[in-house]
């Protein structure tokens, strides 16, 4: 007896549907078992030690997983809520990722204790290894300890002072580019700022007097931003935290493609400098660094280290190059952006800044020099106030590898806890900065007393603090002063909406109009 063809097709479709349903049910059961195992594997002691701390309402087994932000805008709003809670309760805040706690530190003394006691970073940082390798930002403790000994002297004040001519030159180029846009309606200035800071990084850190459009292209800029978006999206989806799961997704392939574009830039930089050094040796020059440069670049120093430290591989050098490209141009560009946006919203602040620059540097065409920087006190205050309210990296994470009693006495940090040290939580706390903590007021930096040092975390704090602070402050003050001396900025008055794509970015309400200043 033969079944009709239509019946066979229907049976096959029904079988396929049943198999699909069964696989979905099996997957759900496996996930449920995983959650139960994960929950039970967490020490009850951990939950007991942190039970009294403020938190969001929790679900059984899941904890606060259902409250993980859906996108980068929600992530910033999520961090804002935690900042308010920490400020009002004066307590650490705990977010339960299933049975695993993420503890937000809210006291300056506790920040000191956590950042000095713990140097290991949680596995979330490993998401960026495809891009940054074992560079300083994501390196595990054993590699970081070895690297920091070599790299800590690469951005000292004396070395950064040699970069001042470069900073001034790139600032002058930016002013000219912006002058060409004075007839435009309000626009997004970020691309112009990012190009300026990337050009400065390539020249000072890697030794090139000029970067070509073949290196820094729109493709590079878009790939950089897309990498940040993809990393945040992965971080917000716990199912994608497992590498084998993430590798099955289209996002993983897109990330690999974007990273390939970024690595092309760093590979180009390294290859060009190695060729330059080889040519210099063949010409029997006494100086490896070409005479057109008055300083040794970051990459020069690393290649010299490689001679005396054979274990410093080319791959590790590239990781540090990628890390400097990531941290050295994007963070500076976003800080400049928010500074211009804030003074563009308040003419009084902009006039104060202009008057100082005119008094120190003058109205003439001479560039800002290293000797000028210590006298630009209001300019520095503007930069610091911008970093307080708009830190490029709003939070850093540390993994507790042992129990730690917080200095404030609020709780014991159990071993295995992820500690979130947030520059935004600390920078906006009324109890640390006063009732006007939410206001943009550079004057707060001009006279003591300031808040405790560990309350200002734009450059982090402790053993894994940013080594590029001297570099960042010098270029920020130089570019900001150069722009304000010749240009006037007007910001749109729409409400500023922010998002967190690893780096704190504007989402809306951030356009600027530029006019040439009428110099008297």
């Amino acid at each position: 007896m033969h079944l009709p063809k239509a019946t066979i097709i229907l049976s096959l479709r029904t079988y396929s549907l049943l198999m699909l349903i069964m696989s979905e049910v099996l997957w759900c059961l496996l996930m449920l078992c995983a959650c139960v195992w994960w929950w039970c594997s967490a020490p009850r002691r951990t939950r007991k030690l942190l039970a009294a701390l403020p938190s969001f309402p929790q679900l059984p087994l899941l904890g606060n997983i259902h409250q993980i932000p859906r996108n980068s805008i929600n992530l910033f709003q999520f961090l804002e809520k935690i900042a308010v809670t920490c400020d009002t309760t004066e307590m650490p805040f705990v977010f339960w990722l299933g049975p695993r706690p993420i503890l937000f530190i809210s006291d300056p003394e506790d920040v000191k204790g956590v950042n000095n006691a713990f140097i290991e970073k949680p596995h979330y940082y490993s998401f960026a290894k495809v891009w940054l390798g074992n560079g300083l930002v994501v390196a595990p403790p054993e590699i970081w300890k070895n690297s920091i000994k070599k790299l800590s002297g690469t951005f000292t004040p004396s070395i950064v002072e040699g970069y001042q001519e470069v900073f001034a030159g790139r600032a002058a180029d930016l002013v000219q580019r912006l002058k060409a846009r004075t007839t435009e309606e309000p626009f997004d200035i970020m691309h112009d700022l990012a190009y300026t800071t990337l050009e400065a990084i390539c020249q000072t850190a890697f030794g090139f007097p000029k970067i070509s459009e073949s290196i820094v292209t729109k493709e590079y800029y878009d790939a950089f931003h897309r990498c940040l978006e993809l990393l945040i999206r992965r971080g917000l989806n716990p199912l994608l935290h497992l590498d084998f799961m993430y590798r099955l997704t289209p996002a993983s392939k897109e990330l690999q493609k974007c990273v390939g574009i970024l690595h092309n830039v760093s590979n180009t930089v390294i290859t060009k400098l190695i060729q330059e050094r080889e040519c210099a040796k063949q010409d029997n020059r006494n100086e490896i660094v070409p005479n057109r440069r008055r300083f040794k670049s970051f990459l020069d120093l690393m290649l010299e280290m490689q001679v005396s430290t054979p274990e410093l591989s080319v791959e590790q050098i590239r990781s540090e190059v990628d890390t400097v490209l990531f941290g050295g141009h994007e963070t500076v560009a976003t800080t400049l952006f928010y500074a211009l946006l804030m003074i563009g919203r308040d003419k009084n602040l902009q006039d104060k800044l202009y008057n100082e620059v005119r008094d120190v540097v003058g109205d003439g065409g001479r560039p800002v020099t290293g000797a000028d920087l210590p006298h630009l006190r209001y300019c520095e205050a503007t930069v610091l106030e911008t970093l307080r309210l708009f830190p490029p990296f709003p939070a850093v994470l540390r993994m507790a590898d042992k129990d730690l009693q917080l200095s404030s006495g609020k709780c014991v940090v159990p071993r295995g806890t992820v500690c979130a040290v947030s520059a935004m939580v600390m920078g906006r706390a009324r109890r640390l900065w006063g009732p006007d903590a939410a206001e943009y007021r550079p004057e707060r930096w001009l006279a003591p007393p300031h808040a405790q040092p560990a309350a200002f975390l734009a450059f982090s704090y402790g053993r894994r603090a940013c080594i590029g602070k001297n570099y960042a402050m010098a270029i920020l003050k130089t570019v900001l002063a150069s722009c304000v001396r010749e240009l006037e900025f007007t910001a749109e008055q729409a409400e500023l909406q922010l998002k967190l794509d690893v780096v704190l970015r504007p989402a809306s309400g951030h356009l600027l109009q530029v006019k040439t200043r009428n110099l008297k």
Side-chain angles (χ1 to χ4, degrees), residues 13-51:
R13 287 179 177 174
T14 302
Y15 176 77
S16 299
L17 181 60
L18 287 173
M19 291 299 295
L20 179 61
I21 293 173
M22 289 178 64
S23 64
E24 291 293 328
V25 170
L26 180 60
W27 172 250
C28 290
L29 288 173
L30 287 173
M31 288 301 297
L32 180 60
C33 291
C35 286
V36 172
W37 174 83
W38 195 26
W39 178 270
C40 294
S41 66
R44 292 184 180 181
R45 176 173 173 272
T46 296
R47 295 193 286 271
K48 184 178 179 180
L49 287 173
L50 303 178

Side-chain angles (χ1 to χ4, degrees), residues 347-367:
K347 189 177 186 303
N348 181 49
L349 295 182
Q350 190 165 177
D351 288 345
K352 287 182 181 180
L353 183 55
Y354 168 70
N355 289 335
E356 178 184 76
V357 174
R358 182 190 58 193
D359 292 342
V360 174
V361 185
D363 286 334
R366 83 166 179 84

Side-chain angles (χ1 to χ4, degrees), residues 149-163:
K149 292 176 183 177
K150 301 180 179 67
L151 301 178
S152 59
T154 54
F155 290 113
T156 60
S158 59
I159 290 177
V160 172
E161 187 177 356
Y163 299 158

Side-chain angles (χ1 to χ4, degrees), residues 51-192:
L53 298 181
S55 183
F56 295 135
Q58 302 170 41
L59 294 176
L61 298 181
L62 298 178
N64 299 120
I65 284 181
H66 63 295
Q67 294 165 322
I68 291 177
R70 297 187 302 275
N71 54 52
S72 56
I73 293 176
N74 294 150
L75 181 57
F76 174 77
Q77 295 167 344
F78 166 84
L79 195 55
E80 271 191 317
K81 290 180 182 178
I82 292 176
V84 171
T85 303
C86 287
D87 198 24
T88 54
T89 63
E90 299 188 15
M91 296 281 285
F93 183 94
V94 62
F95 183 87
W96 291 96
L97 194 62
R100 306 295 178 178
I102 301 177
L103 185 66
F104 288 82
I105 307 300
S106 59
D107 183 276
E109 291 302 317
D110 294 341
V111 168
K112 292 179 183 179
V114 166
N115 278 16
N116 285 318
F118 308 136
I119 61 172
E120 185 176 354
K121 296 191 175 182
H123 74 282
Y124 310 120
Y125 281 80
S126 67
F127 301 164
K129 279 197 171 186
V130 64
W131 177 7
L132 304 179
N134 280 317
L136 283 180
V137 171
V138 300
E142 61 276 9
I143 295 178
W144 174 83
K145 288 178 182 178
N146 189 43
S147 298
I148 195 63
K149 292 176 183 177
K150 301 180 179 67
L151 301 178
S152 59
T154 54
F155 290 113
T156 60
S158 59
I159 290 177
V160 172
E161 187 177 356
Y163 299 158
Q164 184 60 33
E165 186 177 333
V166 175
F167 295 157
R170 302 294 68 76
D173 291 345
L174 173 64
V175 169
Q176 293 307 310
R177 282 199 297 273
L178 294 180
K179 281 183 176 179
R181 307 190 69 173
T182 54
T183 59
E184 296 182 22
E185 294 298 313
F187 63 95
D188 187 345
I189 199 174
M190 263 303 296
H191 181 75
D192 297 285

Side-chain angles (χ1 to χ4, degrees), residues 17 48 50 166 184 212 218 234 247 249 318 349 370 375 390 396 398 423 445 505 507:
L17 181 60
K48 184 178 179 180
L50 303 178
V166 175
E184 296 182 22
S212 67
K218 184 178 184 300
R234 183 182 180 186
R247 283 194 291 266
T249 66
R318 193 189 73 176
L349 295 182
H375 302 288
F390 306 100
V396 296
R398 297 286 185 270
W445 295 93
R505 296 181 177 281

Side-chain angles (χ1 to χ4, degrees), residues 161-421:
E161 187 177 356
Y163 299 158
Q164 184 60 33
E165 186 177 333
V166 175
F167 295 157
R170 302 294 68 76
D173 291 345
L174 173 64
V175 169
Q176 293 307 310
R177 282 199 297 273
L178 294 180
K179 281 183 176 179
R181 307 190 69 173
T182 54
T183 59
E184 296 182 22
E185 294 298 313
F187 63 95
D188 187 345
I189 199 174
M190 263 303 296
H191 181 75
D192 297 285
L193 297 175
Y195 185 89
T196 296
T197 56
L198 183 58
E199 189 171 30
I201 276 288
C202 283
Q203 187 169 351
T204 59
F206 308 126
F208 296 127
K210 200 75 176 174
I211 55 175
S212 67
E213 289 294 339
S214 64
I215 294 178
V216 183
T217 62
K218 184 178 184 300
E219 183 184 38
Y220 172 89
Y221 188 75
D222 291 343
F224 189 100
H225 285 261
R226 186 58 178 159
C227 278
L228 297 180
E229 291 173 357
L230 290 169
L231 290 173
I232 280 293
R233 287 187 182 183
R234 183 182 180 186
L236 296 179
N237 188 343
L239 292 178
L240 298 181
H241 289 187
L242 299 173
D243 288 339
F244 81 91
M245 288 285 291
Y246 188 67
R247 283 194 291 266
L248 298 175
T249 66
S252 175
K253 296 179 177 61
E254 185 181 3
L255 181 63
Q256 292 281 357
K257 179 180 178 181
C258 291
V259 166
I261 295 170
L262 302 180
H263 279 177
N264 179 60
V265 172
S266 52
N267 288 335
T268 300
V269 168
I270 294 172
T271 300
K272 282 190 175 183
L273 187 55
I274 291 176
Q275 291 173 347
E276 183 181 85
R277 291 167 65 87
E278 289 300 319
C279 289
K281 290 178 182 178
Q282 291 173 9
D283 290 343
N284 295 317
R285 298 176 186 172
N286 293 325
E287 292 288 336
I288 292 180
V289 182
N291 293 329
R292 70 173 182 273
R293 283 193 270 133
R294 300 179 181 179
F295 54 82
K296 286 187 178 181
S297 71
F298 173 79
L299 191 50
D300 282 319
L301 296 171
M302 291 202 69
L303 290 173
E304 288 179 5
M305 290 177 198
Q306 190 182 35
V307 175
S308 58
T309 314
E311 65 268 20
L312 184 61
S313 65
V314 173
E315 182 181 357
Q316 183 61 27
I317 291 176
R318 193 189 73 176
S319 294
E320 301 300 350
V321 168
D322 290 332
T323 298
V324 170
L325 281 170
F326 165 68
H329 95 273
E330 182 68 14
T331 55
V332 172
T334 54
T335 302
L336 283 169
F337 174 83
Y338 289 118
L340 293 175
L341 189 68
M342 290 298 103
I343 66 172
R345 292 186 168 204
D346 190 326
K347 189 177 186 303
N348 181 49
L349 295 182
Q350 190 165 177
D351 288 345
K352 287 182 181 180
L353 183 55
Y354 168 70
N355 289 335
E356 178 184 76
V357 174
R358 182 190 58 193
D359 292 342
V360 174
V361 185
D363 286 334
R366 83 166 179 84
V368 177
T369 66
D372 294 325
L373 297 184
H375 302 288
L376 294 172
R377 295 184 65 243
Y378 195 81
C379 182
E380 179 169 317
T382 301
V383 170
L384 294 174
E385 184 70 348
T386 302
L387 288 167
R388 180 182 72 85
L389 287 174
F390 306 100
F393 297 111
V396 296
L397 304 178
R398 297 286 185 270
M399 174 60 72
D401 55 6
K402 59 185 176 183
D403 285 359
L404 177 71
Q405 172 68 58
L406 293 182
S407 299
S408 64
K410 302 294 175 59
C411 73
V412 172
V413 179
R415 181 177 180 273
T417 299
V418 174
C419 297
V421 179

